[in-house]
Amino acid sequence: MKMKLQALSIACAALMGLGFTVSTPALAQGHAHAATAAAQTAPNLHKAMRALWHGHVVTTRDYAIAVFAGDQAATAKAADAVVANAKEITGAVASFYGQPAGDALLKLLAGHWGAVKALTDSAHAGNAAAEEKALNDAVANAGQIAKFLAGANPNWKEADLNAGLIAHGGHHKKQVDMMAAKAPKADQDAEWQAMQDHMNAIADVLADGIAKQFPAKTN
């Protein structure tokens, strides 16, 4: 666990210099200005990418809320929504890179979801060993996704993507740990806002890369 937490810390520190993280008001303000400038290049693409990736954090959060509430019907519904959102994301990717690329990314996102689901379930069960394994799986999967994306678009740097995705996994962990600890609502709300802001930052980086690679197909 110590090694993986160290990886998360290093990733978060690196992201502060890359425009990925927005965990403080000052950083959030800086990212807002950067996102506004980037969105002027391809505003519709940026809006669509943010909506798709926002759907990921919303549906996975819905799953966590349902698990901790003990609502099996809501848990199943949220799990289905996570998968549906992943298919929407990969469908968007396929529209630029072809269906085989979309299918490959779907498998990688399935790995991410598997790790997040296990992280949530083990946190709820209070199983520290299972949670550690889930975190390890999330970190490994982040590297796989980063490598895949960087191979598809020269504007995406593998190290930067890996750091961003590891930090994203850290948000998932912190969110479910706070639910398990029954942290004050204000603290959980603050983490939820930070998670959304960070997801928007990743979506913007991805949109920027696509806009640069396919200027004639984006707006």
Side-chain angles (χ1 to χ4, degrees), residues 1-2 4 111-112 114-120 122-123 127-141 173:
M1 175 65 81
K2 182 178 180 181
K4 294 307 178 183
H112 174 66
V116 170
K117 182 178 184 298
L119 195 68
T120 305
S122 56
N127 188 332
E131 189 173 2
E132 179 178 0
K133 181 182 183 303
L135 182 60
N136 290 345
D137 290 344
V139 170
N141 174 261
K173 183 180 187 303

